Amino acid sequence: MSPMGGVGINYAIQDAVVATNILSEPLKLGSWHLWDLAEVQRQREFPTRVIQWFQGLAQKRIVARALNQNQQFTVPAFLRLPILRDILARLIAFGISPVRLNS
Ligand SMILES: Cc1cc2nc3c(=O)[nH]c(=O)nc-3n(C[C@H](O)[C@H](O)[C@H](O)COP(=O)(O)OP(=O)(O)OC[C@H]3O[C@@H](n4cnc5c(N)ncnc54)[C@H](O)[C@@H]3O)c2cc1C
């Protein structure tokens, strides 16, 4: 995963939450199967691919331009709109589908 946005820890925690929800019961019963692991991957793959796509986009469209000494850099207008800025912050913090531990 790219370091863009510093989402690595957030995603690691989300992975752990989903893995706990899916695996804790089978592990307690001592009968888990490969399809339990496949279900963890199924639930986490799409959000991970989305954030990786977003990281690539932000690298190309924002960071690469900010680091280009031959070009004047201004923060893109959409990042100055509070509502879009807040949506972006939520996406980075919680991913596209926030996860919760089952009780
Ligand atoms: C230099 C650096 C800076 C970073 N900075 C940031 C940051 O500022 N913000 C951010 O959000 N993310 C950051 N990250 C990314 C973040 O650290 C990772 O995305 C996150 O730690 C991944 O968590 P994980 O639990 O999936 O894997 P890991 O944290 O890699 O944990 C895996 C664990 O499994 C253990 N392990 C591996 N194989 C076995 C085995 N066979 N048997 C037993 N144990 C095993 C390893 O020893 C390790 O303890 C950074 C990463 C690096 C390298």
Side-chain angles (χ1 to χ4, degrees):
M1 184 167 267
S2 154
M4 177 65 56
V7 298
I9 295 292
N10 302 3
Y11 271 66
I13 291 170
Q14 291 165 28
D15 291 346
V17 167
V18 170
T20 302
N21 285 344
I22 293 169
L23 300 175
S24 59
E25 242 357 87
L27 285 174
K28 267 194 259 173
L29 297 172
S31 71
W32 62 273
H33 301 277
L34 266 183
W35 59 75
D36 296 316
L37 299 179
E39 180 58 17
V40 176
Q41 179 164 353
R42 193 192 66 74
Q43 289 194 24
R44 294 303 300 152
E45 190 163 338
F46 182 67
T48 304
R49 285 188 185 279
V50 169
I51 201 72
Q52 287 179 336
W53 169 81
F54 168 76
Q55 288 176 311
L57 192 71
Q59 173 69 40
K60 267 192 247 154
R61 296 286 167 87
I62 301 173
V63 176
R65 287 181 188 178
L67 295 175
N68 184 347
Q69 293 175 339
N70 303 319
Q71 230 180 5
Q72 176 87 22
F73 177 72
T74 48
V75 176
F78 73 90
L79 285 179
R80 283 182 256 134
L81 287 174
I83 189 164
L84 290 181
R85 184 199 58 204
D86 294 354
I87 288 172
L88 197 59
R90 284 189 71 83
L91 177 71
I92 288 171
F94 302 116
I96 56 162
S97 53
V99 297
R100 271 183 186 278
L101 266 182
N102 297 340
S103 52

